Amino acid sequence: MKLSVVIALSSAVLSQAWAPVSNIPFRQASSLNAASIWYSTSTGNTETIAGYVAEAAGLSANDIGDATADGITGADALIVGAPTW
């Protein structure tokens, strides 16, 4: 008798362990909201990739030649792309 009660209780607890949690709200923001993307390019490839990253992150890509001190220091995070050759 005790064994059947233990099995019944453990199966009820385990079935709820895998149930989706609906009372936790989804995140509406991420740490990328305060980031800025800066790139330098020689052939245009880095600019293209910066555009892809900016689109995925919901940001805009900025040419480093147009940077200001406030634009750089005002961001919480920087995503920087530079040519390799």
Side-chain angles (χ1 to χ4, degrees):
M1 175 69 178
K2 289 182 183 180
L3 181 59
S4 61
V5 171
V6 169
I7 291 172
L9 288 175
S10 64
S11 64
V13 169
L14 288 175
S15 67
Q16 290 179 358
W18 301 106
V21 178
S22 61
N23 61 349
I24 298 175
F26 290 103
R27 288 179 50 182
Q28 299 298 322
S30 72
S31 61
L32 288 180
N33 289 348
S36 61
I37 299 176
W38 299 93
Y39 68 88
S40 175
T41 188
S42 297
T43 61
N45 292 333
T46 307
E47 181 178 8
T48 301
I49 298 301
Y52 294 152
V53 172
E55 183 179 338
L59 301 170
S60 62
N62 306 295
D63 189 329
I64 196 72
D66 300 331
T68 63
D70 290 336
I72 299 291
T73 59
D76 289 340
L78 298 175
I79 301 171
V80 180
T84 58
W85 54 283

